[in-house]
Amino acid sequence: MQIKRISILNEFQCTGADCPVNCCRGWKVPIDDDMYRKYLLEKGIFGTILRCSIEKKEELTAFRSTLRGCPFWGFDRLCSMQKKHGTAYMPAVCIQFPRQLYNLEFFCEETLYLACPEAARLFLVSVFEERPFDFTVADEEAGYAVNTTNDDREFLDYLLQSRAELVSLLKGGVFDSLAVLDYARDAQNACLAQKPLPHPADYASDGRYLVDVNRMNTLFFNGFYHPSLRTVSPFLNRLCKKYIRQFYGLSRRDPAAADRKLARIKERLYQKIPELDCLLNRYFEYFLYTDFLDVFEDYSFSKHLLCGIARAHMLWLFFALYAENRKQVTTEELAKIIAVYERRAPQIEDALRML
Ligand code: SF4
């Protein structure tokens, strides 16, 4: 099997106890069926502890969340299960994270989830050093199951070509160019009508997809923000509360004033991160590497590309809220913001229908 690995994956090393937001913070830790069966059969005290730590709700089997996150996360900031029983006892998701392993049957792509602060730091270093996200290619056993039900090789090749063209489009412009959405709409329609598929390289536009305060509120309040963030992700929750305090009331009373305020905090952010536009472009580019091939499964060009644009817009908002009242923001701080944000960002999909 041909395995394509993104450059920053080859550089990745977990920072262990020094990690500011360990793997299991901010979301449920799902348990795969194989491991669940193994836990059910485990004998002795460890078996009892395991079974008491599991909750099964509808389709999700996961470890119960405690106030500190996963019940096996120790006070030394390391995984007690891994320390005592080795990786053989960990759910598949814990062994893999932050690697995103995508087996498309014809080849595999391996990338890193930016929900890991060290992965996000490597991403930022590549951005600030203007290094491309190259893929290395190796012939190896995949070692993980096929993730798709589609076997249309021609369509997959088309998506790879489109992704390369979208990345080129980004180099000459901005991530929220309407050209990206025009292409998405036409590709989606062509799929439905079974007509020849268009190419991103044929699209250009001076227009940008504007996210004013109303759209920001739509993204923020329809899935992304939830009061449970207070315990699940306190750092992200503080930034969310700041947004609500500063913008929610004002946007209802005077949307134009709220838009001006949004523009002002972005302007001040440029002073602390002059490379902001480039950073957001590269964030969208990275999103294409981790998410665009999902179109192979659901044919939803518009949903995925709009999602990338929306995610990049919300990201600068969180940077700006954090940077307020600070003289500068370090790469490590930006990486932590990206990591906590990425753990919640998939919820943004719920709001896309309303945009
Ligand atoms: S989030 Fe990343 S750096 Fe932190 S403990 Fe997990 S794998 Fe290691």
Side-chain angles (χ1 to χ4, degrees), residues 168-181:
S168 300
L169 210 70
L170 287 176
K171 288 195 176 114
V174 281
F175 71 92
D176 52 2
S177 164
L178 288 182
V180 173
L181 292 176

Side-chain angles (χ1 to χ4, degrees), residues 85 107 110 116 136 161 165-166 184 216 223 261 320 323 332 335 347:
H85 304 278
F107 61 87
E110 299 186 354
C116 159
T136 54
Q161 174 64 25
E165 289 179 25
L166 283 165
M216 204 63 101
K261 189 167 179 178
E332 284 69 24
Q347 309 295 331

Side-chain angles (χ1 to χ4, degrees), residues 176-214:
D176 52 2
S177 164
L178 288 182
V180 173
L181 292 176
D182 290 345
Y183 159 72
R185 179 202 57 218
D186 292 351
Q188 183 104 27
N189 289 339
C191 270
L192 288 172
Q194 299 193 330
K195 288 192 171 153
L197 292 160
H199 288 279
D202 297 331
Y203 289 77
S205 172
D206 292 332
R208 295 178 69 170
Y209 185 79
L210 295 178
V211 176
D212 59 8
V213 81
N214 279 331

Side-chain angles (χ1 to χ4, degrees), residues 257-269:
D259 274 332
R260 286 196 296 276
K261 189 167 179 178
L262 207 53
R264 273 200 305 278
I265 65 165
K266 191 171 189 190
E267 209 42 59
R268 286 201 292 273
L269 183 61

